[in-house]
C-alpha cells in the first residue's frame, strides 16, 4: 500500500532557538484522507482562513493536540539546525532532502506541500528532480503544492510543527502528548 503525506514548515523562535527550520509530514493511508480532512476542517472557527498554531490560544492549542491524537495519522518532523548566515531556503532544502529520503523509505508516494510563491514551488520540484536523478529517492514519488486555506490536511503538520517549536523553546507538554505519533529527526549543519 502506498501512503500519502501532507507537509508544512515552520521556523523556530529566532530569539530562543535561532537558525532552526522545521518540516513536518503528516502521513496517512489514502483512504483515511476524507475522514481526517473532515475532522480537521471542523476545527476552523468562523472567519478563519485556516487553522494555524501560531494564532491560536492555549485553550485552542489543547483542542488541536487532542484532535491530532485522535486521528490515524503519523507525523515525521525534520529539524534543521543551521548556522548563522545560512538562508531559510537552504535550511528548507536540507530538511526536504532528509524528509524525502525518510518518506521514500516508508513507501510514501504522494507528498503535498503547502503552496508558497511560484518560484519557491518550482525550487521544491527542482530538488525532487535532482534527488531522483541521484537515485536518492524513489522515482515514484509525486510532489504537489496546494493552498493552505483550501486543504485542511495541511493544518495537521502545522499543529505538530507548533508543538515541536514549543518543545524546543522550553514548553514540551504538547509534544509529549504526541510522543507515540511523532518521530523527530534532527539534521545539523
Amino acid at each position: 500500500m502506498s501512503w500519502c503525506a501532507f507537509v508544512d514548515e515552520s521556523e523556530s523562535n529566532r530569539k530562543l532557538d535561532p537558525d532552526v527550520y522545521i518540516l513536518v509530514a503528516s502521513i496517512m493511508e489514502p483512504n483515511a484522507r476524507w475522514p481526517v480532512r473532515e475532522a480537521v476542517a471542523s476545527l476552523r472557527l468562523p472567519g478563519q482562513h485556516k487553522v494555524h498554531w501560531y494564532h491560536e490560544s492555549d485553550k485552542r492549542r489543547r483542542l488541536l493536540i487532542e484532535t491530532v491524537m485522535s486521528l490515524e495519522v503519523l507525523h515525521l518532523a525534520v529539524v534543521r539546525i543551521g548556522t548563522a548566515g545560512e538562508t531559510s531556503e537552504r535550511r528548507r532544502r536540507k530538511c526536504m532532502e532528509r524528509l524525502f529520503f525518510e518518506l521514500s523509505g516508508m513507501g510514501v508516494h504522494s507528498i503535498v506541500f503547502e503552496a508558497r510563491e511560484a518560484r519557491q514551488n518550482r525550487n521544491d520540484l527542482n530538488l525532487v528532480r535532482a534527488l531522483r536523478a541521484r537515485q536518492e529517492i524513489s522515482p515514484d514519488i509525486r510532489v504537489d503544492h496546494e493552498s493552505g486555506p483550501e486543504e485542511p490536511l495541511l493544518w495537521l503538520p502545522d499543529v505538530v510543527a507548533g508543538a515541536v517549536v514549543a518543545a524546543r523553546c522550553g514548553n514540551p507538554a504538547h509534544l509529549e502528548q504526541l510522543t507515540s505519533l511523532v518521530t523527530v529527526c534532527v539534521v545539523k549543519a
Side-chain angles (χ1 to χ4, degrees), residues 108-171:
V108 174
H109 292 285
S110 173
I111 304 171
V112 177
F113 282 84
E114 183 167 3
R116 302 185 303 152
E117 294 177 16
R119 176 187 51 80
Q120 293 170 318
N121 293 343
R122 280 192 306 274
N123 288 343
D124 288 352
L125 297 176
N126 288 338
L127 177 60
V128 171
R129 282 190 282 280
L131 293 172
R132 281 186 188 132
R134 295 192 309 244
Q135 298 180 347
E136 293 180 22
I137 63 171
S138 168
D140 299 331
I141 287 182
R142 177 180 166 188
V143 175
D144 294 299
H145 293 87
E146 293 190 22
S147 167
E150 294 175 18
E151 179 49 85
L153 292 174
L154 291 166
W155 308 346
L156 280 175
D158 176 80
V159 170
V160 175
V164 171
V165 169
R168 292 186 57 80
C169 294
N171 182 4

Side-chain angles (χ1 to χ4, degrees), residues 24-61:
V24 174
S26 295
I27 306 158
M28 64 197 80
E29 294 181 38
N31 60 358
R33 284 184 298 204
W34 286 109
V36 171
R37 183 179 285 119
E38 287 178 10
V40 177
S42 73
L43 296 169
R44 181 173 21 202
L45 296 172
Q48 263 187 326
H49 293 297
K50 65 179 184 176
V51 172
H52 194 280
W53 178 269
Y54 183 80
H55 300 293
E56 299 291 349
S57 67
D58 286 337
K59 181 179 178 182
R60 284 274 296 163
R61 287 178 178 175

